[in-house]
Amino acid sequence: MSLVTLDRFILQSEQAHPAATGELSQLLMRFGLAGKQIARELAVAGLRKELGSAHTTNVQGEEQKKLDVLANEILLETFDYGGLVSLAASEEMDEPFFYTRTAETGRYALLFDPMDGSSNIDVNGTLGTIFSVRNRKDGSEEALLGAGNEQVAAGYILFGPATILVYTCGDGVHLFTLDPSLGEFLLTKDTVRMPARGRGFAVNEGHVSGWAPGVRAFTEYLKEKDPETGRPYSTRYSGSLVGDLHRILLEGGIYYYPADALSGKPQGKLRLLYECHPLAFVAEQAGGRASSGVERILDLAAEKLHQRSPLAIGSVTEVALYERFVRGEGPPE
Ligand code: FBP
């Protein structure tokens, strides 16, 4: 059986696009390289005293972990040659980073959350890296703020019992698993389809007191007993959006992080450009859906780099139901 590595799959997919320059292919392959490096650092972080706080805070006022900073550095270095990228923005950097040598020529701009699920870092929980690729346009920070449907590619790397890379370029969602003995990501699932409905929901109910009545009613509705509609749903919240979304990609269900009027997060917690947009692109390409509760996440543009947005993402059935409850319409008759 011939092995389908990430690089081989990307190069074969490129052949379907005669006008392709090969630059996007090279760029996507680099995320594979960055994923391997970050996986290696995670595996030995406890041995190398790389767990714990970096004693710095990011632009969101959140404590930075040493691994947040290390993963950010690995990603920046991974694209600092080959002239593909002109600028990159990250959850861990106040301002975009401009690649001096290619600021005028690099065709692409990147946005990433280097270490998603930071609260899991010190307890060996599931973690992820989220990435989004855009055309550089005029190469300014403003060029990064466009609607989610301007993304060229997006995906995530999941660091769990196995390291998994999932990406889309707008032609379906493809899933690869890292074979540590080969040091290669191997194709595990091509053109993944998310089930239209699920049995699980992922939300931090500890914040319920700050939610809008519609969100509270939706959560209570999922927990009521009614086998005909597959209820009650099971709670599946890992503390890592990437970990929860990966489960939903394979089993269906919904993850939501609503606006929270009481904890100073009137727009929720998640960042629109490098958490919501890329995962919405993946979800929709797999047949799922992503909403703010009111609007399609991919139609939303940002005013600021680190802007937050409420997010409900997952199977079409549950996300549509969530939007009904947010509109105050309750469940369908
Ligand atoms: P980070 O990118 O800073 O980790 O924030 C995102 C996140 O950790 C998600 O992965 C996760 O679902 C959520 O925040 C957890 O937030 P909370 O601790 O409020 O439940």
Side-chain angles (χ1 to χ4, degrees):
M1 184 186 77
S2 62
L3 294 178
V4 181
T5 63
L6 176 67
D7 295 10
R8 173 178 171 184
F9 183 85
I10 291 171
L11 292 173
Q12 282 173 333
S13 311
E14 185 191 301
Q15 281 155 12
H17 306 275
T21 63
E23 290 171 289
L24 183 59
S25 298
Q26 280 185 57
L27 192 142
L28 288 169
M29 294 179 204
R30 297 269 185 91
F31 278 109
L33 175 61
K36 293 178 212 175
Q37 291 177 66
I38 297 171
R40 180 185 62 186
E41 295 300 333
L42 290 175
V44 296
L47 305 170
R48 290 195 186 154
K49 310 248 174 296
E50 280 170 2
L51 295 176
S53 175
H55 304 296
T56 50
T57 55
N58 63 20
V59 64
Q60 288 123 125
E62 293 162 345
E63 174 206 27
Q64 288 181 308
K65 303 274 182 156
K66 291 178 188 165
L67 283 163
D68 286 322
V69 177
L70 183 58
N72 192 60
E73 283 161 7
I74 288 172
L75 284 158
L76 288 178
E77 276 157 22
T78 302
F79 297 97
D80 195 12
Y81 61 94
L84 300 168
V85 177
S86 54
L87 73 161
S90 160
E91 180 179 317
E92 302 309 332
M93 301 186 302
D94 302 9
E95 308 296 331
F97 175 87
F98 292 88
Y99 290 94
T100 41
R101 285 189 305 274
T102 52
E104 301 305 317
T105 53
R107 185 176 179 162
Y108 295 108
L110 303 181
L111 298 115
F112 40 74
D113 176 0
M115 199 47 46
D116 168 70
S118 303
S119 63
N120 283 352
I121 288 179
D122 296 343
V123 295
N124 201 31
T126 305
L127 294 165
T129 292
I130 309 172
F131 60 87
S132 171
V133 181
R134 292 171 176 265
N135 288 313
R136 74 181 283 276
K137 292 188 193 171
D138 64 3
S140 67
E141 176 172 339
E142 283 61 43
L144 300 172
L145 306 182
N149 46 40
E150 292 177 15
Q151 295 175 97
V152 174
Y156 59 82
I157 305 157
L158 170 65
F159 304 102
T163 297
I164 286 179
L165 186 148
V166 169
Y167 82 90
T168 185
C169 292
D171 60 347
V173 171
H174 316 295
L175 192 161
F176 300 79
T177 304
L178 180 60
D179 179 337
S181 65
L182 273 179
E184 288 283 354
F185 281 102
L186 300 181
L187 182 66
T188 319
K189 256 179 176 236
D190 175 6
T191 319
V192 183
R193 298 304 293 172
M194 186 190 290
R197 68 177 315 147
R199 289 278 174 277
F201 69 109
V203 68
N204 183 343
E205 283 194 71
H207 299 309
V208 66
S209 51
W211 296 348
V215 177
R216 276 193 242 144
F218 172 75
T219 307
E220 288 317 308
Y221 174 81
L222 293 183
K223 295 192 281 186
E224 288 162 9
K225 192 166 182 49
D226 177 16
E228 250 179 57
T229 53
R231 290 176 297 144
Y233 280 51
S234 296
T235 305
R236 291 285 181 271
Y237 190 70
S238 71
S240 158
L241 166 57
V242 167
D244 294 335
L245 183 72
H246 190 67
R247 174 195 294 275
I248 291 165
L249 184 67
L250 302 178
E251 297 180 349
I254 184 170
Y255 169 106
Y256 50 111
Y257 206 112
D260 180 344
L262 293 182
S263 66
K265 296 192 181 98
Q267 285 302 317
K269 175 184 183 178
L270 302 168
R271 282 48 63 132
L272 181 60
L273 290 174
Y274 44 79
E275 290 175 315
C276 303
H277 276 171
L279 298 181
F281 194 10
V282 169
E284 286 206 8
Q285 280 291 310
R289 196 168 162 155
S291 167
S292 65
V294 180
E295 292 168 281
R296 180 176 173 248
I297 290 287
L298 290 181
D299 292 338
L300 296 176
E303 273 135 40
K304 290 182 290 156
L305 194 55
H306 301 287
Q307 181 173 324
R308 300 176 193 264
S309 170
L311 176 69
I313 187 166
S315 298
V316 285
T317 307
E318 283 81 9
V319 176
L321 196 58
Y322 180 90
E323 290 176 324
R324 278 187 66 97
F325 274 85
V326 169
R327 288 193 301 269
E329 294 169 13
E333 296 306 324

